[in-house]
């Protein structure tokens, strides 16, 4: 299949869904607030479905890893192998962050992982909890690494819903490719 057609089909099927969260940021224009609020960042570049680069108000770049989730790999890295659903997961996250390039980051107990990436819960301007919608729509799975367990139960419920609805990675063709 033509690469452009495949990318188009993935983008058409990737629709951002707003998930109610306890914190709403609707009254804040993240782009205007970025240079006044150190918790607001601009998304710069996507790596895969759970990792991307942001820029802070000092124009420093940070590599962010979404806490509590694991997305399929887009390429073979270390002990993790490339997964057929990896690019779809990346394109889904890209479709969300391309439309909403300013995000609010919240943190848990540990701020860095073993690779030096900043661990974060990510929220869009409208309050959408990105970590959760990646799991809820089947583009990532739950991956809890203590002590960062703040939303473990919430992400677990999102995964149960995705599995029951056979969304994303939980579709039969992707389960067979594991």
């Amino acid at each position: 299949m033509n690469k452009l057609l495949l990318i188009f089909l993935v983008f058409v099927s990737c629709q951002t869904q707003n998930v109610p969260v306890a914190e709403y940021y609707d009254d804040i224009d993240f782009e205007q607030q970025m240079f006044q609020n150190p918790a607001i960042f601009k998304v710069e570049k996507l790596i895969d479905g759970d990792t991307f680069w942001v820029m802070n108000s000092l124009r420093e770049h940070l590599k962010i890893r979404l806490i509590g989730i694991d997305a399929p790999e887009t390429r073979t890295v270390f002990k993790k192998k490339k997964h057929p659903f990896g690019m779809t997961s990346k394109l889904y996250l890209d479709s969300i962050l391309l439309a909403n390039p300013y995000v609010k980051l919240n943190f848990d107990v540990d701020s860095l992982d073993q690779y030096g990436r900043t661990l974060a819960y990510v929220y869009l301007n409208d309050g959408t909890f990105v970590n959760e919608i990646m799991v809820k729509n089947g583009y990532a799975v739950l991956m809890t690494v203590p002590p960062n367990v703040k939303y473990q139960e919430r992400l677990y419920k999102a995964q149960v819903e995705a599995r029951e609805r056979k969304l994303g990675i939980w579709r039969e063709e992707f389960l067979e490719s594991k």
Side-chain angles (χ1 to χ4, degrees), residues 19 49-50 66-71 89 92 96 129-143 151-163 165 167-170:
V19 177
D50 57 29
L66 297 174
I67 300 175
I69 74 169
D70 188 33
S89 176
Y92 180 71
I96 294 167
F129 183 22
V130 174
N131 308 52
E132 182 177 41
I133 64 169
M134 290 297 293
V135 174
K136 188 173 187 166
N137 292 318
Y139 292 95
V141 295
L142 172 70
M143 185 182 82
Y151 295 113
Q152 177 179 346
E153 187 61 31
R154 185 172 175 172
L155 295 172
Y156 174 77
K157 289 177 183 175
Q159 180 168 292
V160 168
E161 182 178 334
R163 286 183 77 166
R165 295 175 57 206
L167 297 175
I169 198 153
W170 302 110

Short mmCIF file of all heavy atoms in Angstrom, two decimals, residues 19 49-50 66-71 89 92 96 129-143 151-163 165 167-170:
data_model
loop_
_atom_site.label_atom_id
_atom_site.label_comp_id
_atom_site.label_asym_id
_atom_site.label_seq_id
_atom_site.Cartn_x
_atom_site.Cartn_y
_atom_site.Cartn_z
N VAL A 19 -11.63 13.04 27.32
CA VAL A 19 -11.93 12.19 28.46
C VAL A 19 -12.01 13.09 29.68
O VAL A 19 -11.09 13.87 29.93
CB VAL A 19 -10.82 11.13 28.66
CG1 VAL A 19 -11.10 10.30 29.88
CG2 VAL A 19 -10.70 10.26 27.41
N GLY A 49 4.71 6.40 20.30
CA GLY A 49 3.42 6.59 20.95
C GLY A 49 3.46 6.91 22.43
O GLY A 49 2.41 7.13 23.04
N ASP A 50 4.64 6.94 23.03
CA ASP A 50 4.73 7.30 24.46
C ASP A 50 5.91 8.22 24.77
O ASP A 50 6.19 8.50 25.93
CB ASP A 50 4.76 6.05 25.35
CG ASP A 50 5.88 5.09 25.01
OD1 ASP A 50 6.95 5.52 24.53
OD2 ASP A 50 5.70 3.88 25.24
N LEU A 66 5.63 9.34 28.65
CA LEU A 66 4.33 9.30 29.32
C LEU A 66 4.33 8.25 30.43
O LEU A 66 4.65 7.09 30.18
CB LEU A 66 3.22 9.01 28.31
CG LEU A 66 3.02 10.06 27.22
CD1 LEU A 66 2.01 9.58 26.19
CD2 LEU A 66 2.60 11.39 27.81
N ILE A 67 3.98 8.66 31.63
CA ILE A 67 3.96 7.77 32.79
C ILE A 67 2.76 6.81 32.69
O ILE A 67 1.66 7.21 32.32
CB ILE A 67 3.82 8.55 34.12
CG1 ILE A 67 4.97 9.52 34.32
CG2 ILE A 67 3.73 7.59 35.31
CD1 ILE A 67 4.82 10.40 35.55
N GLY A 68 3.00 5.57 33.10
CA GLY A 68 1.91 4.61 33.28
C GLY A 68 1.46 3.89 32.03
O GLY A 68 0.54 3.09 32.08
N ILE A 69 2.10 4.18 30.89
CA ILE A 69 1.68 3.51 29.65
C ILE A 69 2.90 3.02 28.88
O ILE A 69 4.03 3.46 29.12
CB ILE A 69 0.84 4.44 28.75
CG1 ILE A 69 1.68 5.50 28.06
CG2 ILE A 69 -0.29 5.08 29.54
CD1 ILE A 69 0.94 6.25 26.96
N ASP A 70 2.64 2.11 27.96
CA ASP A 70 3.67 1.62 27.05
C ASP A 70 3.03 1.47 25.68
O ASP A 70 2.05 0.76 25.53
CB ASP A 70 4.23 0.28 27.52
CG ASP A 70 5.44 -0.16 26.72
OD1 ASP A 70 6.22 0.70 26.28
OD2 ASP A 70 5.60 -1.38 26.54
N ALA A 71 3.58 2.17 24.70
CA ALA A 71 3.08 2.08 23.33
C ALA A 71 3.97 1.12 22.53
O ALA A 71 5.16 0.98 22.84
CB ALA A 71 3.08 3.46 22.69
N SER A 89 0.24 3.80 16.46
CA SER A 89 0.23 4.43 17.78
C SER A 89 0.90 5.80 17.74
O SER A 89 0.39 6.78 18.27
CB SER A 89 0.91 3.52 18.79
OG SER A 89 0.99 4.13 20.04
N TYR A 92 -1.26 8.33 15.93
CA TYR A 92 -2.40 8.74 16.74
C TYR A 92 -1.98 9.83 17.73
O TYR A 92 -2.62 10.88 17.83
CB TYR A 92 -3.01 7.55 17.48
CG TYR A 92 -4.20 7.94 18.33
CD1 TYR A 92 -5.40 8.30 17.75
CD2 TYR A 92 -4.10 7.97 19.72
CE1 TYR A 92 -6.49 8.68 18.52
CE2 TYR A 92 -5.19 8.33 20.49
CZ TYR A 92 -6.37 8.69 19.90
OH TYR A 92 -7.44 9.07 20.67
N ILE A 96 -3.01 14.01 17.89
CA ILE A 96 -3.48 14.72 19.08
C ILE A 96 -2.59 15.94 19.36
O ILE A 96 -3.07 17.05 19.55
CB ILE A 96 -3.47 13.80 20.31
CG1 ILE A 96 -4.48 12.67 20.14
CG2 ILE A 96 -3.75 14.58 21.59
CD1 ILE A 96 -4.32 11.57 21.16
N PHE A 129 -6.66 14.15 29.23
CA PHE A 129 -5.54 13.45 29.84
C PHE A 129 -4.95 12.51 28.79
O PHE A 129 -5.50 11.46 28.51
CB PHE A 129 -6.05 12.69 31.08
CG PHE A 129 -5.01 11.96 31.88
CD1 PHE A 129 -3.67 12.30 31.86
CD2 PHE A 129 -5.40 10.92 32.72
CE1 PHE A 129 -2.73 11.62 32.62
CE2 PHE A 129 -4.49 10.24 33.50
CZ PHE A 129 -3.15 10.59 33.44
N VAL A 130 -3.85 12.91 28.19
CA VAL A 130 -3.27 12.20 27.04
C VAL A 130 -2.90 10.77 27.39
O VAL A 130 -3.18 9.84 26.62
CB VAL A 130 -2.06 12.98 26.47
CG1 VAL A 130 -1.37 12.18 25.38
CG2 VAL A 130 -2.51 14.34 25.96
N ASN A 131 -2.26 10.54 28.52
CA ASN A 131 -1.85 9.19 28.92
C ASN A 131 -3.08 8.26 28.89
O ASN A 131 -3.00 7.14 28.40
CB ASN A 131 -1.24 9.19 30.32
CG ASN A 131 -0.13 10.19 30.50
OD1 ASN A 131 -0.29 11.38 30.19
ND2 ASN A 131 1.00 9.75 31.01
N GLU A 132 -4.18 8.76 29.42
CA GLU A 132 -5.39 7.94 29.51
C GLU A 132 -6.01 7.68 28.14
O GLU A 132 -6.41 6.54 27.87
CB GLU A 132 -6.41 8.63 30.42
CG GLU A 132 -7.68 7.83 30.61
CD GLU A 132 -8.64 8.49 31.57
OE1 GLU A 132 -8.80 9.74 31.51
OE2 GLU A 132 -9.23 7.77 32.38
N ILE A 133 -6.10 8.67 27.27
CA ILE A 133 -6.76 8.41 25.99
C ILE A 133 -5.92 7.50 25.10
O ILE A 133 -6.48 6.78 24.28
CB ILE A 133 -7.17 9.70 25.24
CG1 ILE A 133 -5.99 10.54 24.84
CG2 ILE A 133 -8.18 10.48 26.02
CD1 ILE A 133 -6.35 11.67 23.89
N MET A 134 -4.61 7.50 25.28
CA MET A 134 -3.78 6.56 24.53
C MET A 134 -4.15 5.12 24.90
O MET A 134 -4.24 4.25 24.02
CB MET A 134 -2.30 6.81 24.79
CG MET A 134 -1.77 8.10 24.17
SD MET A 134 -1.86 8.14 22.37
CE MET A 134 -0.68 6.88 21.92
N VAL A 135 -4.39 4.87 26.18
CA VAL A 135 -4.77 3.53 26.64
C VAL A 135 -6.23 3.25 26.31
O VAL A 135 -6.56 2.18 25.78
CB VAL A 135 -4.51 3.37 28.16
CG1 VAL A 135 -5.03 2.04 28.67
CG2 VAL A 135 -3.03 3.53 28.46
N LYS A 136 -7.10 4.20 26.59
CA LYS A 136 -8.54 4.01 26.41
C LYS A 136 -8.92 3.71 24.96
O LYS A 136 -9.88 3.01 24.68
CB LYS A 136 -9.29 5.24 26.90
CG LYS A 136 -10.78 5.08 26.93
CD LYS A 136 -11.44 6.27 27.60
CE LYS A 136 -12.92 5.99 27.75
NZ LYS A 136 -13.56 6.92 28.65
N ASN A 137 -8.15 4.26 24.01
CA ASN A 137 -8.44 4.04 22.60
C ASN A 137 -7.59 2.93 21.99
O ASN A 137 -7.62 2.72 20.78
CB ASN A 137 -8.28 5.35 21.83
CG ASN A 137 -9.35 6.33 22.23
OD1 ASN A 137 -10.51 5.98 22.39
ND2 ASN A 137 -8.97 7.58 22.43
N GLY A 138 -6.83 2.22 22.84
CA GLY A 138 -6.09 1.06 22.38
C GLY A 138 -4.79 1.34 21.67
O GLY A 138 -4.25 0.48 20.98
N TYR A 139 -4.21 2.53 21.85
CA TYR A 139 -2.95 2.87 21.21
C TYR A 139 -1.75 2.65 22.13
O TYR A 139 -0.61 2.85 21.72
CB TYR A 139 -2.98 4.31 20.70
CG TYR A 139 -3.96 4.46 19.56
CD1 TYR A 139 -5.26 4.87 19.79
CD2 TYR A 139 -3.60 4.13 18.26
CE1 TYR A 139 -6.18 4.98 18.75
CE2 TYR A 139 -4.50 4.23 17.22
CZ TYR A 139 -5.78 4.65 17.47
OH TYR A 139 -6.68 4.73 16.44
N ALA A 140 -2.01 2.27 23.36
CA ALA A 140 -0.96 1.96 24.34
C ALA A 140 -1.58 1.03 25.39
O ALA A 140 -2.80 0.89 25.45
CB ALA A 140 -0.44 3.23 25.00
N VAL A 141 -0.73 0.42 26.20
CA VAL A 141 -1.20 -0.45 27.27
C VAL A 141 -0.68 0.09 28.60
O VAL A 141 0.26 0.88 28.65
CB VAL A 141 -0.73 -1.91 27.07
CG1 VAL A 141 -1.36 -2.51 25.83
CG2 VAL A 141 0.78 -2.01 27.03
N LEU A 142 -1.31 -0.36 29.65
CA LEU A 142 -0.91 0.01 31.00
C LEU A 142 0.49 -0.53 31.29
O LEU A 142 0.80 -1.67 30.98
CB LEU A 142 -1.91 -0.59 32.00
CG LEU A 142 -1.58 -0.48 33.48
CD1 LEU A 142 -1.69 0.97 33.93
CD2 LEU A 142 -2.52 -1.36 34.29
N MET A 143 1.33 0.30 31.87
CA MET A 143 2.65 -0.13 32.33
C MET A 143 2.99 0.67 33.59
O MET A 143 3.39 1.83 33.51
CB MET A 143 3.73 0.08 31.28
CG MET A 143 5.07 -0.50 31.73
SD MET A 143 6.40 -0.23 30.56
CE MET A 143 6.87 1.44 30.99
N TYR A 151 -2.01 7.34 38.90
CA TYR A 151 -3.21 7.07 38.09
C TYR A 151 -3.31 5.61 37.64
O TYR A 151 -3.95 5.31 36.65
CB TYR A 151 -3.25 8.00 36.88
CG TYR A 151 -3.40 9.44 37.27
CD1 TYR A 151 -2.37 10.36 37.05
CD2 TYR A 151 -4.57 9.91 37.87
CE1 TYR A 151 -2.50 11.69 37.41
CE2 TYR A 151 -4.70 11.24 38.24
CZ TYR A 151 -3.67 12.12 38.00
OH TYR A 151 -3.80 13.43 38.37
N GLN A 152 -2.69 4.71 38.38
CA GLN A 152 -2.67 3.29 38.02
C GLN A 152 -4.07 2.74 37.85
O GLN A 152 -4.37 2.09 36.84
CB GLN A 152 -1.92 2.50 39.09
CG GLN A 152 -1.91 1.01 38.84
CD GLN A 152 -1.14 0.26 39.92
OE1 GLN A 152 -0.42 0.84 40.71
NE2 GLN A 152 -1.31 -1.03 39.95
N GLU A 153 -4.96 2.99 38.79
CA GLU A 153 -6.32 2.46 38.72
C GLU A 153 -7.09 3.05 37.54
O GLU A 153 -7.81 2.35 36.83
CB GLU A 153 -7.07 2.73 40.04
CG GLU A 153 -8.42 2.07 40.12
CD GLU A 153 -8.38 0.54 40.05
OE1 GLU A 153 -7.39 -0.06 40.50
OE2 GLU A 153 -9.35 -0.04 39.51
N ARG A 154 -6.94 4.31 37.33
CA ARG A 154 -7.62 5.00 36.22
C ARG A 154 -7.15 4.45 34.87
O ARG A 154 -7.96 4.22 33.97
CB ARG A 154 -7.32 6.48 36.33
CG ARG A 154 -8.04 7.34 35.36
CD ARG A 154 -7.79 8.77 35.73
NE ARG A 154 -8.37 9.66 34.77
CZ ARG A 154 -8.44 10.95 34.92
NH1 ARG A 154 -7.97 11.51 36.02
NH2 ARG A 154 -8.97 11.70 34.01
N LEU A 155 -5.85 4.25 34.72
CA LEU A 155 -5.31 3.71 33.48
C LEU A 155 -5.70 2.24 33.30
O LEU A 155 -5.94 1.79 32.17
CB LEU A 155 -3.80 3.89 33.42
CG LEU A 155 -3.32 5.35 33.36
CD1 LEU A 155 -1.80 5.44 33.52
CD2 LEU A 155 -3.77 6.02 32.08
N TYR A 156 -5.80 1.51 34.40
CA TYR A 156 -6.26 0.12 34.33
C TYR A 156 -7.69 0.05 33.80
O TYR A 156 -8.01 -0.75 32.92
CB TYR A 156 -6.17 -0.55 35.71
CG TYR A 156 -6.77 -1.94 35.72
CD1 TYR A 156 -6.08 -3.01 35.17
CD2 TYR A 156 -8.04 -2.17 36.26
CE1 TYR A 156 -6.63 -4.28 35.16
CE2 TYR A 156 -8.60 -3.43 36.24
CZ TYR A 156 -7.89 -4.48 35.69
OH TYR A 156 -8.46 -5.73 35.67
N LYS A 157 -8.56 0.92 34.31
CA LYS A 157 -9.94 0.95 33.83
C LYS A 157 -10.01 1.31 32.35
O LYS A 157 -10.83 0.77 31.60
CB LYS A 157 -10.77 1.94 34.67
CG LYS A 157 -11.04 1.45 36.07
CD LYS A 157 -11.79 2.50 36.88
CE LYS A 157 -11.99 2.01 38.31
NZ LYS A 157 -12.62 3.04 39.14
N ALA A 158 -9.15 2.22 31.92
CA ALA A 158 -9.11 2.61 30.51
C ALA A 158 -8.70 1.41 29.64
O ALA A 158 -9.26 1.19 28.57
CB ALA A 158 -8.14 3.76 30.31
N GLN A 159 -7.75 0.61 30.14
CA GLN A 159 -7.31 -0.56 29.38
C GLN A 159 -8.40 -1.62 29.32
O GLN A 159 -8.61 -2.23 28.27
CB GLN A 159 -6.04 -1.15 29.99
CG GLN A 159 -5.55 -2.37 29.22
CD GLN A 159 -4.17 -2.78 29.62
OE1 GLN A 159 -3.22 -2.05 29.35
NE2 GLN A 159 -4.04 -3.92 30.26
N VAL A 160 -9.10 -1.83 30.42
CA VAL A 160 -10.20 -2.80 30.42
C VAL A 160 -11.24 -2.40 29.37
O VAL A 160 -11.72 -3.23 28.59
CB VAL A 160 -10.84 -2.92 31.82
CG1 VAL A 160 -12.15 -3.67 31.78
CG2 VAL A 160 -9.86 -3.58 32.79
N GLU A 161 -11.55 -1.11 29.32
CA GLU A 161 -12.52 -0.63 28.34
C GLU A 161 -12.03 -0.85 26.91
O GLU A 161 -12.78 -1.31 26.04
CB GLU A 161 -12.80 0.87 28.56
CG GLU A 161 -13.82 1.42 27.60
CD GLU A 161 -14.14 2.88 27.84
OE1 GLU A 161 -13.99 3.37 28.97
OE2 GLU A 161 -14.56 3.53 26.87
N ALA A 162 -10.76 -0.57 26.64
CA ALA A 162 -10.21 -0.76 25.29
C ALA A 162 -10.23 -2.23 24.89
O ALA A 162 -10.57 -2.57 23.75
CB ALA A 162 -8.79 -0.22 25.23
N ARG A 163 -9.90 -3.11 25.84
CA ARG A 163 -9.92 -4.56 25.55
C ARG A 163 -11.33 -5.05 25.28
O ARG A 163 -11.56 -5.81 24.34
CB ARG A 163 -9.32 -5.35 26.71
CG ARG A 163 -7.82 -5.24 26.79
CD ARG A 163 -7.27 -6.07 27.89
NE ARG A 163 -7.28 -7.46 27.44
CZ ARG A 163 -6.63 -8.42 28.04
NH1 ARG A 163 -5.93 -8.18 29.12
NH2 ARG A 163 -6.66 -9.65 27.58
N ARG A 165 -13.81 -3.37 24.16
CA ARG A 165 -14.30 -2.80 22.89
C ARG A 165 -13.43 -3.21 21.71
O ARG A 165 -13.71 -2.82 20.58
CB ARG A 165 -14.38 -1.28 23.02
CG ARG A 165 -15.43 -0.84 24.05
CD ARG A 165 -15.45 0.65 24.29
NE ARG A 165 -15.68 1.39 23.06
CZ ARG A 165 -15.28 2.64 22.85
NH1 ARG A 165 -14.63 3.30 23.80
NH2 ARG A 165 -15.52 3.25 21.71
N LEU A 167 -10.40 -2.28 20.80
CA LEU A 167 -9.87 -1.10 20.12
C LEU A 167 -8.36 -1.20 19.92
O LEU A 167 -7.65 -1.75 20.75
CB LEU A 167 -10.18 0.16 20.93
CG LEU A 167 -11.64 0.50 21.12
CD1 LEU A 167 -11.79 1.71 22.03
CD2 LEU A 167 -12.31 0.75 19.78
N GLY A 168 -7.89 -0.64 18.82
CA GLY A 168 -6.46 -0.52 18.57
C GLY A 168 -5.71 -1.83 18.66
O GLY A 168 -6.01 -2.79 17.94
N ILE A 169 -4.76 -1.86 19.56
CA ILE A 169 -3.90 -3.03 19.71
C ILE A 169 -4.67 -4.27 20.17
O ILE A 169 -4.19 -5.39 20.02
CB ILE A 169 -2.73 -2.72 20.67
CG1 ILE A 169 -1.64 -3.75 20.49
CG2 ILE A 169 -3.19 -2.62 22.11
CD1 ILE A 169 -0.27 -3.28 20.83
N TRP A 170 -5.87 -4.09 20.67
CA TRP A 170 -6.68 -5.20 21.15
C TRP A 170 -7.52 -5.83 20.04
O TRP A 170 -8.24 -6.79 20.28
CB TRP A 170 -7.57 -4.74 22.31
CG TRP A 170 -6.75 -4.19 23.43
CD1 TRP A 170 -6.67 -2.89 23.82
CD2 TRP A 170 -5.86 -4.91 24.28
NE1 TRP A 170 -5.78 -2.76 24.86
CE2 TRP A 170 -5.26 -3.98 25.16
CE3 TRP A 170 -5.49 -6.25 24.38
CZ2 TRP A 170 -4.34 -4.34 26.13
CZ3 TRP A 170 -4.56 -6.62 25.34
CH2 TRP A 170 -4.00 -5.67 26.21
#
